[in-house]
Amino acid sequence: MTHVSTPVPAAGTPSAQARPRSFGRRVVARPELSSLLGAVAVFVLFFVVAPPFREPASLSTVLYSSSTIGIVAVAVALLMIGGEFDLSAGVAVTTASLTASMVAYELSLNVWAGVGASLVVALGIGFLNGYLVMRTKLPSFLITLSTFLMLQGLNLAVTKLVSSTVATDSIADMDGFASAKAVFSADVVIGGVAVKVTVFWWLAFVALATWLLLRTRAGNWIQAVGGQADSARAVGVPVKRTKIGLFVTVGFGAWFVGMHQLFAFDSVQSGIGIGNELLYIAAAVIGGCLLTGGYGSAVGSAIGALIYGMTTQGIVYAGWNPDWLKFFVGATLLLATLLNMWVRLRTSRR
């Protein structure tokens, strides 16, 4: 009886190698796909129903509103990809503003001294959050919720103790204010339209975070510790250092937005910022970040922030009742989460 053998392809031949995924499958698997489709839908909606939305100045306002959320959302997205949360980011922005203002005003220093002191405080808050999470092994939700409550109390109590009111004194006439305002809150005129400098900083931070995630060893570490921290530790990934670094990055984002708020208005209310931490997380989740970690992108967080900016301004331009804003954002968050889950299930089956 004759046996006919089937030739086995040699190793390294095309048939022996795994076929690369098609371009279409790679696009569908991207975490920011669903948020991009949502952003297009929101833009078209308000472009049609709200004529003022079409004006260049209105689009500049949309980008500005998006950037103040998006700058911190980029850092929060990196942290979520790393498998952690930070509920203190919203009030940390206010803490940064208050610190810079009070240090400069009460000590009669150049405002840049206050900016530097504020940076140290903001990075310290991020480091403390990360250190406690890694040291105690408690969920970051609990640690940062505690930080949120403590900062909320400190912001109000210290401000009233120092200034006898719930707001800081104006620093508009102090040395260094003009140069600091140029860095953190200037207007850049393009084609006759004033665009806040925060928009350009936002885009730069998104580009930097994207490069970090896709092109560096640190980016591989971030995704590894978010997916399987124990496995990552077993192959030599510095899990503690990586996660603490991510919390510090959130502190930096909070500091930057805090500086913008200070130099945009020259005085700070101690009670602002509460609730913004949920907007940062919502922007990251709408942009494709999973709550379980290990998956997401910086570009997606930017698109999520843009959806929020278009919604907040679009409702005003359309003349709708602004009371519906949070409902709209919540519905968008839910739909984006469901769509992200569906996309991941479909791509994992192929």
Side-chain angles (χ1 to χ4, degrees):
M1 186 173 181
T2 303
H3 296 277
V4 180
S5 60
T6 302
V8 178
T13 61
S15 57
Q17 297 175 345
R19 293 182 179 179
R21 292 191 301 173
S22 66
F23 175 77
R25 289 181 61 186
R26 292 199 302 270
V27 170
V28 170
R30 290 300 305 169
E32 61 270 10
L33 174 64
S34 60
S35 62
L36 179 60
L37 297 176
V40 172
V42 172
F43 178 83
V44 170
L45 170 65
F46 289 116
F47 191 88
V48 171
V49 304
F53 186 82
R54 308 165 195 168
E55 299 295 329
S58 300
L59 295 178
S60 173
T61 303
V62 167
L63 290 175
Y64 169 58
S65 178
S66 303
S67 68
T68 57
I69 297 297
I71 288 174
V72 185
V74 172
V76 169
L78 293 178
L79 180 64
M80 291 181 65
I81 295 170
E84 304 293 347
F85 288 93
D86 191 343
L87 295 178
S88 67
V91 290
V93 170
T94 306
T95 301
S97 298
L98 293 170
T99 300
S101 178
M102 287 190 287
V103 167
Y105 186 86
E106 298 299 330
L107 300 179
S108 299
L109 301 174
N110 187 292
V111 297
W112 281 105
V115 170
S118 176
L119 177 60
V120 172
V121 170
L123 297 182
I125 292 171
F127 177 84
L128 180 63
N129 281 334
Y131 177 80
L132 289 176
V133 168
M134 300 310 300
R135 180 71 175 179
T136 65
K137 307 300 181 183
L138 290 171
S140 54
F141 176 90
L142 295 177
I143 295 293
T144 58
L145 177 60
S146 301
T147 307
F148 161 79
L149 294 172
M150 288 189 291
L151 290 179
Q152 182 182 355
L154 281 173
N155 289 346
L156 178 60
V158 174
T159 303
K160 293 183 70 175
L161 179 65
V162 172
S163 65
S164 301
T165 66
V166 295
T168 61
D169 296 287
S170 173
I171 60 171
D173 59 347
M174 297 188 66
D175 292 339
F177 182 86
S179 59
K181 183 179 178 67
V183 172
F184 297 106
S185 188
D187 289 325
V188 179
V189 179
I190 302 176
V193 178
V195 181
K196 280 291 185 183
V197 71
T198 52
V199 174
F200 302 99
W201 282 115
W202 175 38
L203 296 177
F205 291 147
V206 171
L208 178 61
T210 301
W211 172 80
L212 176 72
L213 279 175
L214 300 181
R215 300 295 181 184
T216 68
R217 182 172 60 177
N220 292 332
W221 289 349
I222 292 171
Q223 298 184 64
V225 300
Q228 290 290 339
D230 292 336
S231 299
R233 186 180 292 107
V235 297
V237 174
V239 175
K240 291 184 178 180
R241 190 172 68 191
T242 300
K243 291 202 175 192
I244 291 175
L246 291 173
F247 278 103
V248 172
T249 301
V250 174
F252 175 83
W255 167 78
F256 196 94
V257 174
M259 294 305 94
H260 164 69
Q261 290 184 352
L262 173 60
F263 295 107
F265 305 107
D266 70 59
S267 180
V268 186
Q269 292 285 335
S270 59
I272 63 174
I274 299 172
N276 283 353
E277 61 281 343
L278 300 180
L279 298 179
Y280 305 145
I281 294 174
V285 173
I286 290 172
C289 291
L290 291 182
L291 299 177
T292 53
Y295 186 79
S297 74
V299 173
S301 73
I303 297 174
L306 180 61
I307 290 175
Y308 177 79
M310 288 191 294
T311 302
T312 55
Q313 300 304 316
I315 286 177
V316 173
Y317 295 139
W320 296 351
N321 187 340
D323 294 339
W324 289 94
L325 170 62
K326 293 299 175 64
F327 172 82
F328 192 96
V329 173
T332 303
L333 175 61
L334 177 60
L335 290 175
T337 304
L338 294 174
L339 185 55
N340 287 336
M341 181 179 66
W342 178 80
V343 169
R344 281 182 58 80
L345 287 175
R346 288 294 301 272
T347 55
S348 65
R349 291 172 180 172
R350 295 181 179 181

